[in-house]
Amino acid sequence: MSGADDPLALFTTMLRVRRFEERCVELYSAAAIRGFMHLCIGEEAVAAGVIGALAADDAVVSTYREHGHALARGIPMPSVFAEMFGRVTGCSRGRGGSMHLFDASRRFYGGNAIVAGGIPVAVGLALADRLLHRSHVSACLFGDGAVAEGEFHESLNLAALWHLPVVFCCENNQYAMGTSLARTHAETDLALRAGSYGLRSWSVDGMDAVAVRAATRLAVDTARAGGGPCFLELRTYRFRAHSMYDADRYRERAEIDAWLERDPVERLAAVLAADGTLDEPGRTALEEAVTREIDEAVGLAEAGPPEPVADLSRYVTAEAGR
Amino acid sequence: MTATPVRAPDGPATTTVTFRDAFRAGLREALAGDERVFLMGEDVGRYGGCFAVSQGLLEEFGEERVRDAPLSESAFVGAGIGAAIGGTLPIVEIMTVNFALLALDQIVNNAATLRHMSGGQLGVPLVVRIPTGPGRQLAAQHSHTLEGWFAHVPGLRVVTPATLADARGMLATALLDPDPVLVFEQIGLYGTSGELATDAGPVDLDRAAVRRAGTDATVVAYGGSLAPVLAAAEQLAGRGVSAEVVDLRALRPLDTDTVVESVARTHRLVVVDNAWRSGGPMAEVVARVAEQALDELDAPVERVAAVEVPVPYPRHLEEAALPQASDVVAATLRAVG
Ligand SMILES: Cc1ncc(C[n+]2csc(CCOP(=O)(O)OP(=O)(O)O)c2C)c(N)n1
């Protein structure tokens, strides 16, 4: 089984993301991480499934809730922790923090904290690929809240009009901060709305990593083969509050509990247990390996130096040739 | 360009062109010079540009490279940013600066910040051309001088060609910049003409230019205010006052040195701005002179700026709202006492 097709690889990615973010909560409480921090606990199947369907040289544009996307993309964990600690060894030299993870070498283009702000950028990356005769696809991840923004609609029209290889991946966790889709969208069928721009669009169970990866692969293949942009609505749920500052008073306990029943990590674990891929000792060994990876990454990140204040004005404009 | 080149006895060959021609020549050269360059915006292709700057370029370079975009300022400016990150050299045209406000998010939150937020990994070599300023009775939603707002933002370069040579050459220099450059073209200048050297090419974007040397007062202008200031300097000369005219050319980064050196020669400062006085670009110039050269000033600074109203439609009111040569003359005479 190739790594990319291996459900165990999907599971491992999801477990790394889950445990990483649980550690982030501890580090946030200890004030090692500051600022806004948005967790994707509950949404790991989207991170693992979408990113797992992309080729290494496809582009990824994400939002402020991007830890999972970044880790799934292969940004080394120490450099993600270091970024959140504000160290110069972070993937954005500590200048971005939790919301602005970048890794140009992995074509990971943020990390954008403006709702919908990354969507046109993904369209442009695809346009560049077209103009330069490259066969890459650009994947753009955003929330259901972004669908209400003008930039979303402008971008879908543009991508469809110019037939660009973009896969729009809407992580529909049902809420934009404290406001549900139903309270803010006249038409809540997001695939239907996207489809009106002439894109191929699908709604997918976003709690099923295998299904997410299969759907994304179909969309990516379609876009790469010249079928134009595609839209995926990935129906998921965040188990935690919107951010560390959110008291989470807008959701019924029963609703949260119903979604917890569908925990994407345990769901895939059950499948892997049933078919004998991952037994009890195997799971324990994997958990230990992930814990070790996190411990080592935190240690490395903590050892990273802060950027000297003397460098404050760097990286505003290009440094060579000016 | 239409006119036949003429050669002055002691200078290079020149031809008579409009600012529109000069901007178009810069665009044509950019498209011809590098396959990665493309032009994108509303009506830039088939229509030939809202101000006819890109006329003929679609026929010459094709639809991929002269790309008509829908009315989606935020999306196509954002797409320009992505395309720049992706390895092309986009020139995006926004119809006028008032419509650029619909793309402020992309310009300020993405183009200007991506390099910094990514710790230096991502450059955005994007050029945005933005017609700006009054001059054609287009009323308040098409006439404003807002380049100073953009000049507030680190990570952007903001240039304002006010001469034919700059109109011809600034685009080429802007394209060499690894960071976003906003080129603010004066709507009022497009149709005016003058002599341009036939071998005009890239120009320096880093230094302000002394457009007229003088000894009694420094008059600072840029973009749309340069022409009335030069006219004023001519009138002042007739009254025995020698005004030195400094054209800022770039609002960011601002070349303070050239202004301060001039003030050190003349000891009087007059600033002229088609933008509103409150928080306008010239407020920054005055602040820098106060910081660096207060001792050089022998008189209070004179500020000539647009009246603080949205630019009105009727010609006489539009003119009354904007600094005229006579205002500059009066201010300079006050400065020299
Ligand atoms: C343009 C803009 N408006 C408002 C905000 C404040 N804000 C941050 S996150 C958020 C909710 C977005 O929800 P959604 O797009 O569904 O993404 P999710 O947080 O659920 O992943 C809002 C309103 C913002 N960051 N950007």
Side-chain angles (χ1 to χ4, degrees), chain A residues 38 43 63-65 113-116 142-147 149 171 173 175-177 238 242:
Chain A
H38 310 83
E43 305 180 14
T63 66
Y64 47 85
R65 197 184 298 288
I114 307 298
V115 170
F142 51 88
D144 45 285
V147 173
E149 291 279 0
E171 204 159 358
N173 63 13
Y175 286 87
M177 284 181 61
R238 60 172 158 73
H242 167 71

Short mmCIF file of all heavy atoms in Angstrom, two decimals, chain A residues 38 43 63-65 113-116 142-147 149 171 173 175-177 238 242, ligand 1:
data_model
loop_
_atom_site.label_atom_id
_atom_site.label_comp_id
_atom_site.label_asym_id
_atom_site.label_seq_id
_atom_site.Cartn_x
_atom_site.Cartn_y
_atom_site.Cartn_z
N HIS A 38 -6.82 29.34 17.23
CA HIS A 38 -8.03 28.63 16.81
C HIS A 38 -7.68 27.16 16.59
O HIS A 38 -6.77 26.86 15.83
CB HIS A 38 -8.58 29.23 15.52
CG HIS A 38 -8.73 30.72 15.56
ND1 HIS A 38 -7.69 31.57 15.31
CD2 HIS A 38 -9.82 31.49 15.81
CE1 HIS A 38 -8.12 32.83 15.40
NE2 HIS A 38 -9.41 32.81 15.71
N GLU A 43 -12.08 18.54 13.53
CA GLU A 43 -12.07 18.75 12.07
C GLU A 43 -10.84 18.09 11.41
O GLU A 43 -10.50 18.41 10.27
CB GLU A 43 -12.06 20.26 11.77
CG GLU A 43 -13.22 21.01 12.42
CD GLU A 43 -13.21 22.51 12.13
OE1 GLU A 43 -12.47 22.96 11.24
OE2 GLU A 43 -13.94 23.22 12.83
N THR A 63 -6.53 29.27 6.28
CA THR A 63 -7.00 30.37 7.13
C THR A 63 -6.23 30.39 8.44
O THR A 63 -5.19 29.76 8.56
CB THR A 63 -8.49 30.18 7.47
OG1 THR A 63 -8.60 29.00 8.28
CG2 THR A 63 -9.31 30.01 6.21
N TYR A 64 -6.79 31.08 9.41
CA TYR A 64 -6.21 31.16 10.75
C TYR A 64 -6.40 29.87 11.53
O TYR A 64 -5.83 29.70 12.59
CB TYR A 64 -6.87 32.32 11.53
CG TYR A 64 -8.37 32.24 11.36
CD1 TYR A 64 -9.14 31.44 12.18
CD2 TYR A 64 -9.00 32.89 10.30
CE1 TYR A 64 -10.49 31.28 11.96
CE2 TYR A 64 -10.35 32.74 10.08
CZ TYR A 64 -11.09 31.94 10.91
OH TYR A 64 -12.43 31.78 10.69
N ARG A 65 -7.24 28.97 11.06
CA ARG A 65 -7.46 27.69 11.78
C ARG A 65 -6.68 26.61 11.02
O ARG A 65 -7.25 25.67 10.48
CB ARG A 65 -8.97 27.37 11.79
CG ARG A 65 -9.36 26.31 12.83
CD ARG A 65 -10.84 25.97 12.74
NE ARG A 65 -11.72 27.08 13.01
CZ ARG A 65 -11.94 27.62 14.20
NH1 ARG A 65 -11.38 27.11 15.27
NH2 ARG A 65 -12.75 28.65 14.34
N ALA A 113 -5.75 35.60 8.27
CA ALA A 113 -6.74 35.87 9.33
C ALA A 113 -7.87 36.78 8.87
O ALA A 113 -8.68 37.21 9.68
CB ALA A 113 -6.05 36.48 10.55
N ILE A 114 -7.91 37.08 7.59
CA ILE A 114 -9.04 37.85 7.07
C ILE A 114 -9.99 36.84 6.43
O ILE A 114 -9.60 36.14 5.49
CB ILE A 114 -8.58 38.88 6.02
CG1 ILE A 114 -7.44 39.75 6.56
CG2 ILE A 114 -9.75 39.74 5.57
CD1 ILE A 114 -7.78 40.60 7.74
N VAL A 115 -11.19 36.77 6.95
CA VAL A 115 -12.12 35.77 6.43
C VAL A 115 -12.31 35.99 4.93
O VAL A 115 -12.63 37.10 4.50
CB VAL A 115 -13.48 35.84 7.17
CG1 VAL A 115 -14.51 34.97 6.49
CG2 VAL A 115 -13.29 35.40 8.63
N ALA A 116 -12.05 34.96 4.15
CA ALA A 116 -12.14 34.95 2.68
C ALA A 116 -10.94 35.60 1.99
O ALA A 116 -10.84 35.55 0.76
CB ALA A 116 -13.43 35.59 2.16
N PHE A 142 -11.28 27.20 3.60
CA PHE A 142 -11.92 28.33 4.28
C PHE A 142 -13.16 27.81 4.96
O PHE A 142 -13.60 26.68 4.71
CB PHE A 142 -12.27 29.44 3.27
CG PHE A 142 -13.03 28.92 2.08
CD1 PHE A 142 -14.41 28.82 2.10
CD2 PHE A 142 -12.35 28.48 0.95
CE1 PHE A 142 -15.10 28.30 1.02
CE2 PHE A 142 -13.03 27.95 -0.15
CZ PHE A 142 -14.42 27.86 -0.11
N GLY A 143 -13.75 28.65 5.83
CA GLY A 143 -14.92 28.21 6.58
C GLY A 143 -16.23 28.57 5.91
O GLY A 143 -16.26 29.28 4.90
N ASP A 144 -17.32 28.12 6.51
CA ASP A 144 -18.64 28.45 5.99
C ASP A 144 -18.92 29.94 6.10
O ASP A 144 -19.66 30.51 5.30
CB ASP A 144 -19.72 27.66 6.74
CG ASP A 144 -19.49 27.67 8.25
OD1 ASP A 144 -18.58 26.96 8.70
OD2 ASP A 144 -20.19 28.40 8.96
N GLY A 145 -18.31 30.60 7.10
CA GLY A 145 -18.52 32.04 7.24
C GLY A 145 -18.04 32.79 6.01
O GLY A 145 -18.63 33.79 5.60
N ALA A 146 -16.98 32.30 5.39
CA ALA A 146 -16.39 32.97 4.23
C ALA A 146 -17.34 33.00 3.04
O ALA A 146 -17.23 33.88 2.17
CB ALA A 146 -15.08 32.29 3.84
N VAL A 147 -18.26 32.06 3.01
CA VAL A 147 -19.17 31.98 1.87
C VAL A 147 -20.09 33.21 1.81
O VAL A 147 -20.61 33.56 0.75
CB VAL A 147 -19.99 30.66 1.95
CG1 VAL A 147 -21.07 30.60 0.90
CG2 VAL A 147 -19.05 29.46 1.82
N GLU A 149 -19.00 36.24 2.28
CA GLU A 149 -18.20 37.39 1.85
C GLU A 149 -18.20 37.54 0.33
O GLU A 149 -18.21 36.56 -0.41
CB GLU A 149 -16.73 37.23 2.32
CG GLU A 149 -16.54 37.34 3.82
CD GLU A 149 -16.49 38.77 4.33
OE1 GLU A 149 -16.61 39.72 3.52
OE2 GLU A 149 -16.32 38.94 5.55
N GLU A 171 -14.71 24.24 4.71
CA GLU A 171 -14.75 23.47 5.95
C GLU A 171 -15.98 23.93 6.70
O GLU A 171 -15.92 24.89 7.48
CB GLU A 171 -13.46 23.80 6.71
CG GLU A 171 -13.02 22.78 7.67
CD GLU A 171 -11.53 22.92 8.00
OE1 GLU A 171 -10.85 23.80 7.44
OE2 GLU A 171 -11.06 22.14 8.82
N ASN A 173 -18.06 23.90 9.42
CA ASN A 173 -18.22 23.44 10.81
C ASN A 173 -19.47 24.04 11.42
O ASN A 173 -19.61 24.08 12.63
CB ASN A 173 -16.96 23.74 11.63
CG ASN A 173 -16.69 25.24 11.73
OD1 ASN A 173 -17.54 26.06 11.42
ND2 ASN A 173 -15.50 25.59 12.19
N TYR A 175 -20.59 26.87 12.07
CA TYR A 175 -20.60 28.14 12.80
C TYR A 175 -19.52 29.09 12.29
O TYR A 175 -18.41 28.65 11.98
CB TYR A 175 -20.34 27.91 14.31
CG TYR A 175 -21.52 27.31 15.02
CD1 TYR A 175 -21.70 25.93 15.06
CD2 TYR A 175 -22.47 28.13 15.63
CE1 TYR A 175 -22.81 25.37 15.68
CE2 TYR A 175 -23.59 27.58 16.26
CZ TYR A 175 -23.75 26.21 16.28
OH TYR A 175 -24.84 25.67 16.89
N ALA A 176 -19.88 30.36 12.22
CA ALA A 176 -18.89 31.41 12.06
C ALA A 176 -18.81 32.10 13.42
O ALA A 176 -19.77 32.77 13.82
CB ALA A 176 -19.31 32.40 10.98
N MET A 177 -17.75 31.91 14.13
CA MET A 177 -17.65 32.28 15.55
C MET A 177 -18.88 31.76 16.27
O MET A 177 -19.05 30.55 16.37
CB MET A 177 -17.46 33.79 15.71
CG MET A 177 -16.02 34.19 15.38
SD MET A 177 -15.59 35.91 15.55
CE MET A 177 -15.87 36.22 17.27
N ARG A 238 -16.48 21.71 14.96
CA ARG A 238 -15.35 21.88 15.89
C ARG A 238 -15.84 21.57 17.29
O ARG A 238 -16.87 22.07 17.72
CB ARG A 238 -14.73 23.28 15.78
CG ARG A 238 -15.60 24.44 16.08
CD ARG A 238 -14.84 25.76 16.15
NE ARG A 238 -15.72 26.88 15.92
CZ ARG A 238 -16.61 27.32 16.79
NH1 ARG A 238 -16.74 26.74 17.96
NH2 ARG A 238 -17.38 28.35 16.50
N HIS A 242 -14.59 28.61 19.36
CA HIS A 242 -14.01 29.24 18.17
C HIS A 242 -12.53 29.57 18.38
O HIS A 242 -11.69 29.31 17.52
CB HIS A 242 -14.78 30.51 17.84
CG HIS A 242 -14.11 31.39 16.85
ND1 HIS A 242 -14.00 31.06 15.51
CD2 HIS A 242 -13.46 32.58 16.99
CE1 HIS A 242 -13.34 32.02 14.87
NE2 HIS A 242 -12.99 32.94 15.75
C1 LIG C 1 -13.19 39.96 7.02
C2 LIG C 1 -13.29 39.49 8.42
N1 LIG C 1 -14.40 39.77 9.13
C3 LIG C 1 -14.50 39.35 10.42
C4 LIG C 1 -13.51 38.64 11.02
C5 LIG C 1 -13.62 38.15 12.47
N2 LIG C 1 -13.78 36.69 12.46
C6 LIG C 1 -12.71 35.89 12.64
S1 LIG C 1 -13.10 34.29 12.46
C7 LIG C 1 -14.72 34.63 12.13
C8 LIG C 1 -15.67 33.51 11.81
C9 LIG C 1 -15.38 32.85 10.52
O1 LIG C 1 -16.09 31.66 10.41
P1 LIG C 1 -15.81 30.58 9.29
O2 LIG C 1 -15.43 31.26 8.01
O3 LIG C 1 -16.99 29.68 9.24
O4 LIG C 1 -14.53 29.81 9.78
P2 LIG C 1 -14.30 28.95 11.08
O5 LIG C 1 -13.78 29.90 12.15
O6 LIG C 1 -15.60 28.35 11.47
O7 LIG C 1 -13.26 27.94 10.74
C10 LIG C 1 -14.92 36.00 12.16
C11 LIG C 1 -16.23 36.63 11.97
C12 LIG C 1 -12.34 38.41 10.24
N3 LIG C 1 -11.28 37.77 10.76
N4 LIG C 1 -12.27 38.81 8.94
#
